[in-house]
């Protein structure tokens, strides 16, 4: 799972423990920990529940894989050009 998502999830959890937050989401702490650590991907219903509990909006976007790779290459080039 993308690092940015994991960081946002930790930020949304705030000072709550994983146990407390996972209980609010209605899932086991082990399942939540796997998602937050990037070892498991959440389902759409799980993402919807996270959005409800954290008072955020779930936005799903489909991006063609080739475009993602092209953008990654472009970003790397941009970073190299800035140095």
């Amino acid at each position: 799972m993308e690092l940015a998502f994991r960081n946002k999830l930790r930020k949304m959890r705030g000072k709550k423990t994983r146990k407390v937050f996972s209980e609010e989401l209605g899932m086991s702490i082990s399942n939540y920990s796997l998602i937050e650590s990037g070892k498991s991907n959440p389902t759409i219903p799980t993402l919807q529940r996270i959005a409800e509990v954290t008072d955020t909006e779930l936005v799903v976007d489909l991006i063609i894989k080739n475009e993602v790779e092209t953008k990654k290459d472009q970003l790397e080039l941009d970073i190299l050009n800035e140095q």
Side-chain angles (χ1 to χ4, degrees):
M1 184 183 327
E2 189 177 317
L3 180 61
F5 172 78
R6 295 192 322 250
N7 288 337
K8 284 182 183 179
L9 193 54
R10 285 186 199 110
K11 193 173 191 174
M12 286 187 279
R13 178 166 58 91
K15 294 184 179 186
K16 297 175 186 173
T17 64
R18 286 183 176 185
K19 183 178 188 304
V20 168
F21 195 58
S22 65
E23 288 172 355
E24 289 178 1
L25 296 173
M27 67 172 58
S28 69
I29 186 172
S30 60
N31 189 32
Y32 176 78
S33 293
L34 289 172
I35 292 169
E36 190 179 275
S37 66
K39 296 177 182 173
S40 176
N41 291 320
T43 62
I44 296 293
T46 297
L47 291 171
Q48 289 171 325
R49 182 68 183 139
I50 291 169
E52 290 170 10
V53 168
T54 60
D55 194 30
T56 57
E57 183 175 338
L58 175 62
V59 178
V60 178
D61 193 5
L62 299 174
I63 302 170
I64 298 170
K65 288 183 180 183
N66 291 338
E67 289 180 19
V68 172
E69 292 302 318
T70 301
K71 288 179 183 178
K72 284 182 185 176
D73 292 342
Q74 183 64 44
L75 179 60
E76 289 175 12
L77 289 174
D78 289 345
I79 291 171
L80 290 174
N81 288 335
E82 289 178 7
Q83 294 177 350

